[in-house]
Amino acid sequence: MSDGLVGFVMLSIGEFARLAGVSVRMLRHYDQLGLLRPHRVDPHTGYRSYSATQLDRANRLVALKDLGFGLEQVAELLEADASGERVVDLLRQRRDELRTQIATDRGRLAHVEARLSTVTKEHAMSTTLQFTETSLPALRLVQRSVHVTDMAAIEAEMGMMFGAVGHALEAAGATRNGPGVAHYTVESGPDGDGLRAAAAEQVDAPVDGLEQVELTAVDRALATTYDAGDLSGIAAAWQALVTEVEHRGLTPSGTCREVYHSTPYEPGGTRWVVELQQPVG
């Protein structure tokens, strides 16, 4: 959706939370503290809207917070416009500290590594990815889905759901018609503060215990292919894709898709080759 300003794509708070990898609750908290204001607040409904250009500030805010800085210190660093190099240096210092506490801080170290990956890859990703305007076919799917409010939990949720779908297909003796698909839809709410995430396989017939859905065909979408040995950079790839949507003067619209052409879990598979597809208005 757009606020009518040329050159800006307005994202709902739910869409922005998914791309930034934070919860809607935290975005509201950052708004209250003045750390990350919405680009626009509808004076009649109170709906918050964000621009894709604000993703850079969101990445730095979360990275600094993960370093252990208090929110007042984060605010000072953001207002001082800390350089990307400085943020990366701080992340590396924190990484070294965490490694000395590996026995008790393993989980937090992994989270900082993931955020470091996003920060260091965000600019490189936008120059290495190729973007293509295309149409998307209708897909008949069987799936598991879940309502997500904590965007950091999506990867774990998707892994469990794809596992459950695979077991159900195997038990039913069902045959896949194409690669696995993940899709994401912002659910209705005053601020779009929910995300329906689904892990699906392309199967024509119903399968016991799984939802049967059809994704309708899309006339116009912007797509790119993520090709890597792991999924640590896929969030940065999504950010680059939506930023490219804005750069082209387009508007994100509808259910976005991930099509898994290759994964390390398949026989002979060694890499993740995932097509990211963002429908546009």
Side-chain angles (χ1 to χ4, degrees):
M1 59 186 166
S2 172
D3 67 351
L5 297 176
V6 176
F8 285 95
V9 170
M10 291 294 98
L11 304 170
S12 74
I13 192 171
E15 291 169 327
F16 191 86
R18 178 180 71 85
L19 291 165
V22 299
S23 69
V24 169
R25 180 181 63 81
M26 287 308 300
L27 283 181
R28 291 190 180 120
H29 185 52
Y30 294 151
D31 180 13
Q32 292 171 354
L33 296 176
L35 294 173
L36 183 60
R37 298 287 194 189
H39 186 84
R40 181 176 183 270
V41 178
D42 190 291
H44 303 294
T45 65
Y47 289 7
R48 295 172 174 86
S49 301
Y50 292 78
S51 165
T53 58
Q54 294 179 279
L55 287 168
D56 181 74
R57 183 178 177 91
N59 287 339
R60 300 187 189 285
L61 192 164
V62 177
L64 291 167
K65 184 171 175 289
D66 285 345
L67 283 166
F69 289 112
L71 290 178
E72 289 185 4
Q73 294 171 303
V74 170
E76 292 175 3
L77 287 167
L78 288 175
E79 292 307 315
D81 194 25
S83 68
E85 182 178 354
R86 175 60 176 154
V87 172
V88 171
D89 286 343
L90 291 170
L91 280 166
R92 286 174 175 157
Q93 292 173 21
R94 182 57 173 164
R95 179 184 63 187
D96 292 341
E97 294 172 3
L98 286 171
R99 280 177 171 166
T100 67
Q101 305 167 25
I102 191 73
T104 56
D105 287 344
R106 186 180 298 274
R108 190 170 188 181
L109 175 59
H111 187 66
V112 171
E113 289 283 14
R115 187 57 63 178
L116 173 61
S117 175
T118 300
V119 171
T120 56
K121 289 180 181 178
E122 60 186 345
H123 299 300
M125 192 69 71
S126 63
T127 59
T128 57
L129 291 175
Q130 301 296 314
F131 304 99
T132 304
E133 288 194 39
T134 186
S135 60
L136 305 179
L139 297 177
R140 297 184 67 182
L141 307 170
V142 291
Q143 67 179 35
R144 286 282 182 91
S145 66
V146 66
H147 178 86
V148 179
T149 56
D150 181 0
M151 303 307 152
I154 286 182
E155 184 175 345
E157 292 282 3
M158 295 303 291
M160 290 188 292
M161 289 193 298
F162 268 117
V165 171
H167 288 311
L169 264 61
E170 185 177 352
T175 301
R176 297 172 174 83
N177 294 332
V181 178
H183 59 92
Y184 308 92
T185 306
V186 175
E187 294 189 314
S188 60
D191 280 320
D193 57 355
L195 185 72
R196 178 61 56 177
E201 295 284 356
Q202 299 182 53
V203 178
D204 288 333
V207 175
D208 287 344
L210 300 180
E211 308 164 18
Q212 186 174 31
V213 300
E214 181 171 335
L215 295 185
T216 58
V218 174
D219 292 334
R220 192 180 186 193
L222 195 66
T224 191
T225 299
Y226 176 81
D227 185 342
D230 58 47
L231 293 176
S232 64
I234 198 166
W238 268 114
Q239 291 187 11
L241 176 59
V242 174
T243 300
E244 180 68 15
V245 169
E246 178 172 298
H247 176 72
R248 297 189 183 201
L250 304 174
T251 303
S253 175
T255 298
C256 54
R257 311 178 186 184
E258 294 173 350
V259 180
Y260 291 80
H261 294 290
S262 178
T263 78
Y265 299 109
E266 299 170 356
T270 59
R271 298 179 63 79
W272 293 90
V273 180
V274 186
E275 186 175 356
L276 313 184
Q277 302 171 341
Q278 175 63 66
V280 295

